[in-house]
Amino acid sequence: MKIAVIFDSISPESGGNFYQSLQSAMILNSIQKENKDYIFKFITFNKHSLNELNKNGLEASLFKNIKLSKSYYFLNQSPVFKNIFKLLRIKNPFKNYLKKNEFELVIFLNASWFIKLCEEVNFIMSSFDINFKLLNFFPEYLNQDIFISKDEIMKKSCNQAFKILVDTNESKKELINFYRCPPQKIAIQPFSPFLPNLNLTDAEEPKIDKKILDVVKSQKFLFYPAQFWAHKNHKYIVEALRILRDKYKTKINLILCGKDRGNLNFVKKIVSENNLNNQIHFLEFISEQEMIFLYKKCLALLNPTYVARSTLLLYEAFYFKIPVFYSKNILDETLQTYVEVFDLNNYENLALKLNEFINGKIKFSSKIEAASKYFSTNCNKNAISENYLNVLNEYKFFRSKWKY
C-alpha cells in the first residue's frame, strides 16, 4: 500500500510540533524497512523541512503548489467560483497530486492545514491538542482566522478521518466532548521524544555554549525548556522562586530556554523587578545536544503550563530519569502519579515543595523508577511502531473490501 506521509512543520524552532512530527516520520520509515505491505512517501512543503528530513536519513519530496492550492481552497468557498471551477474543470491541486501519485492513504503527522484539501482519499491525522478551544482567552489563541482554520481542520478530521491519534485518554475525551467525534475513530498514542535518538554518553564532550557551561558550573539548577507563550506560565516560576528566596531563605538557579513567542520581554521584566537576574538565566533557543546536556545536569524539570495532558518535556524527563514538578489537574490522570504536582492558583505551593525537595524532604526515587518503566513500555519506538501498525492493519482490513 502506497501511503503519503505529510510533514508540515518548518524547523526545530517550531518546538514540540517539529520534533514529534520528525520522530513519527522516523518510526514510520523504520516500519517500511521491515514490513513490505506499506510504502511511505514523505512529503513536505518547504526546503527547510526537506533538508531537516534528509539530514535525518529520510527521503522526501517537495509539494510546490502551495499558493495555488490555498487560492483554490479559498475561492472554492464561494458558490460563484465553485461553479466556475466545475465549468472549467479546475481541480484541487493537492487532490490531483495525491491521485497522480496513486496514494491509497494519507498520514498527516500533525493538524496540517492541507487536511482541508484532502478529498476522496482516506487519511489519518495526529492531534497534539485542542487548546485553542479549551483556553482561548490566552493571546496566542485570540486570532480569529487561526481559530476558525484550526476548528475547520478538527471538524473535518472528526467527520472524515479514518483515525485520529491523540496522546492520552483525556485528550480523547476532549475530542468526543467538543467535536462529538466517534470514539472508534480515536486511537491513543503517547508522544515519543526525539532526543533519545541523540543521547550522549557521559564520556562524550558535546559542543556547549560557554554561557550554558558557566551557569551549570555555578550551582545546581532547575530547568524549564519552553517557548515563551503566555500559556506556558513562566510568571508562576518567577513568583515561586521569589517566595523561596524571601520566605525560605533558599536560592537556586533556573534555566529558561525557548523561542520568543511574544512573552519573553514580560518574563525578563518581572525577573528584574523581583531581583532574580542572578538566579534566572535565559538561553532562548538551544541545540539538541545542549538540551540533552542540561537534562543530564539539572536538579529537576519544572512545568507550570496551563495546557497539555502530556508533553514531550514530560517524556524526555522520564527518559533521562529527572524529577518532575507539574501543574496540578492538567496532566492526564494516569501520568500524575509520576510527578509532583503543584497548585497553579498558589505560588507558595511550589515554593514550599521546592524548599522541601532541596532539603531532602520530598523523595523522587520511586516516581522516577515508575516513570522510566512507563516510558519503556509506552513511549519507545517499538511501542509506537506497534500502535501505527495496529491502525494501518485495521485500515488494510477494510481496504481489502473494494478495488476501484
Side-chain angles (χ1 to χ4, degrees):
M1 184 185 301
K2 191 176 178 183
I3 302 170
V5 180
I6 307 300
F7 187 93
D8 192 5
S9 188
I10 297 175
S11 73
E13 292 190 6
S14 303
N17 189 319
F18 173 85
Y19 283 109
Q20 181 55 38
S21 297
L22 178 58
Q23 179 72 345
S24 296
M26 293 178 72
I27 289 171
L28 289 171
N29 193 47
S30 67
I31 289 174
Q32 74 176 346
K33 289 179 180 178
E34 299 176 6
N35 191 317
K36 302 305 179 184
D37 289 343
Y38 304 111
I39 300 169
F40 300 109
K41 298 296 181 182
F42 299 95
I43 299 161
T44 189
F45 303 112
N46 62 81
K47 290 183 179 179
H48 194 106
S49 53
L50 180 69
N51 291 336
E52 289 289 340
L53 290 175
N54 291 340
K55 186 175 75 175
N56 285 281
L58 298 171
E59 291 185 16
S61 300
L62 190 64
F63 177 74
K64 297 179 180 179
N65 290 332
I66 298 173
K67 290 182 179 179
L68 187 61
S69 296
K70 291 192 173 185
S71 297
Y72 171 88
Y73 174 80
F74 289 116
L75 291 173
N76 200 46
Q77 305 306 301
S78 162
V80 174
F81 277 102
K82 186 175 291 226
N83 289 330
I84 292 173
F85 288 165
K86 284 182 180 179
L87 185 65
L88 299 178
R89 295 184 180 180
I90 297 173
K91 296 183 179 180
N92 173 346
F94 186 63
K95 171 186 164 184
N96 284 350
Y97 175 83
L98 297 174
K99 283 203 165 188
K100 181 182 177 182
N101 287 279
E102 299 181 329
F103 291 116
E104 297 182 58
L105 181 68
V106 181
I107 297 177
F108 291 94
L109 298 177
N110 60 4
S112 169
W113 185 93
F114 278 83
I115 287 173
K116 298 181 184 185
L117 286 170
C118 194
E119 298 175 356
E120 297 180 22
V121 60
N122 286 305
F123 67 93
I124 297 165
M125 69 88 72
S126 291
S127 172
F128 298 157
D129 61 65
I130 55 168
N131 297 333
F132 68 97
K133 293 281 279 190
L134 302 173
L135 295 168
N136 47 25
F137 50 83
F138 281 112
E140 47 266 38
Y141 304 132
L142 287 177
N143 184 290
Q144 184 72 359
D145 292 337
I146 293 175
F147 179 93
I148 290 171
S149 181
K150 287 184 175 183
D151 197 44
E152 287 173 348
I153 291 166
M154 292 313 304
K155 283 177 180 175
K156 175 164 183 176
S157 297
C158 289
N159 288 332
Q160 295 180 260
F162 173 74
K163 200 71 74 175
I164 300 173
L165 306 180
V166 299
D167 59 330
T168 64
N169 191 54
E170 193 63 32
S171 297
K172 178 177 180 177
K173 290 178 185 176
E174 288 167 356
L175 276 190
I176 294 169
N177 292 337
F178 280 87
Y179 288 100
R180 297 184 180 179
C181 187
Q184 66 271 20
K185 276 184 177 282
I186 307 171
I188 296 173
Q189 179 165 287
F191 297 139
S192 179
F194 174 78
L195 287 184
N197 299 326
L198 309 172
N199 193 6
L200 307 169
T201 66
D202 292 334
E204 289 180 290
E205 284 290 337
K207 293 181 180 179
I208 301 298
D209 187 276
K210 185 178 183 298
K211 185 179 179 182
I212 297 177
L213 283 173
D214 290 342
V215 173
V216 173
K217 288 177 180 177
S218 62
Q219 70 180 88
K220 294 177 180 179
F221 65 94
L222 305 169
F223 190 33
Y224 184 33
Q227 299 186 73
F228 288 89
W229 297 104
H231 71 264
K232 295 297 186 181
N233 199 18
H234 292 81
K235 176 183 167 76
Y236 184 95
I237 303 180
V238 176
E239 297 294 346
L241 290 190
R242 174 185 59 78
I243 295 169
L244 184 65
R245 179 197 63 195
D246 295 347
K247 182 174 181 177
Y248 297 101
K249 311 305 178 187
T250 299
K251 291 183 178 181
I252 189 165
N253 277 4
L254 167 70
I255 291 181
L256 301 175
C257 65
K259 191 172 178 62
D260 182 21
R261 297 298 184 181
N263 213 36
L264 177 59
N265 286 338
F266 169 72
V267 177
K268 285 183 174 181
K269 180 173 180 288
I270 58 175
V271 166
S272 181
E273 289 173 349
N274 286 284
N275 297 315
L276 288 166
N277 300 81
N278 62 335
Q279 289 178 238
I280 299 178
H281 309 274
F282 296 86
L283 300 177
E284 299 187 32
F285 183 77
I286 62 174
S287 71
E288 294 145 358
Q289 289 76 17
E290 289 169 329
M291 181 79 83
I292 293 170
F293 178 78
L294 291 174
Y295 269 131
K296 287 188 167 187
K297 297 294 183 181
C298 73
L299 253 184
L301 177 78
L302 305 185
N303 198 337
T305 182
Y306 276 104
V307 304
R309 304 309 177 190
S310 75
T311 65
L312 281 178
L313 301 185
L314 179 75
Y315 295 131
E316 287 165 353
F318 287 2
Y319 176 80
F320 289 109
K321 298 183 178 181
I322 300 164
V324 178
F325 291 85
Y326 208 101
S327 313
K328 186 177 181 180
N329 297 327
I330 301 298
L331 275 179
D332 187 271
E333 188 177 349
T334 60
L335 296 170
Q336 289 206 49
T337 57
Y338 307 119
V339 305
E340 185 69 29
V341 298
F342 52 85
D343 184 359
L344 285 178
N345 296 316
N346 183 356
Y347 299 129
E348 187 165 342
N349 186 239
L350 178 60
L352 172 62
K353 294 197 172 194
L354 287 176
N355 185 60
E356 292 178 343
F357 171 63
I358 291 166
N359 289 294
K361 294 179 181 179
I362 293 180
K363 305 291 185 182
F364 270 93
S365 56
S366 60
K367 288 181 185 291
I368 289 173
E369 183 180 353
S372 180
K373 287 180 180 177
Y374 179 91
F375 182 94
S376 298
T377 303
N378 298 283
C379 303
N380 65 62
K381 292 180 190 176
N382 290 336
I384 304 302
S385 293
E386 186 176 339
N387 284 344
Y388 266 124
L389 279 171
N390 287 340
V391 172
L392 291 169
N393 289 338
E394 182 184 351
Y395 179 75
K396 181 184 172 186
F397 171 77
F398 286 113
R399 180 65 182 84
S400 69
K401 311 302 180 186
W402 71 86
K403 191 170 185 179
Y404 59 86

